[in-house]
Amino acid sequence: MNFDDLKAQGEQLIADHKDEVIEQGKAFIEEHKDEYIEKGKEIASEKFGFGEQQ
């Protein structure tokens, strides 16, 4: 197997699975977005005082 063969196999692998990987990424984001939003709020509050009651 030479470089061109490996490159062609890699390109085919990407083409075959690209949509599946994108959907998995979207599902992961949807499942975890609230968690990361809350973590972001905590960090902003700690570092910059955002969201603190005055």
Side-chain angles (χ1 to χ4, degrees):
M1 220 180 246
N2 63 29
F3 176 77
D4 291 332
D5 293 338
L6 291 173
K7 181 179 176 188
Q9 281 186 349
E11 290 171 348
Q12 187 61 47
L13 183 66
I14 290 169
D16 290 347
H17 297 283
K18 177 179 77 172
D19 293 337
E20 177 185 347
V21 172
I22 289 170
E23 288 306 314
Q24 288 175 353
K26 287 178 181 178
F28 181 86
I29 290 168
E30 189 61 33
E31 290 170 13
H32 297 280
K33 72 178 180 183
D34 292 338
E35 172 186 342
Y36 291 119
I37 289 170
E38 287 305 313
K39 186 66 175 173
K41 287 178 181 177
E42 288 175 22
I43 292 169
S45 178
E46 290 171 8
K47 291 197 179 270
F48 308 109
F50 295 155
E52 292 181 351
Q53 297 291 331
Q54 303 223 2

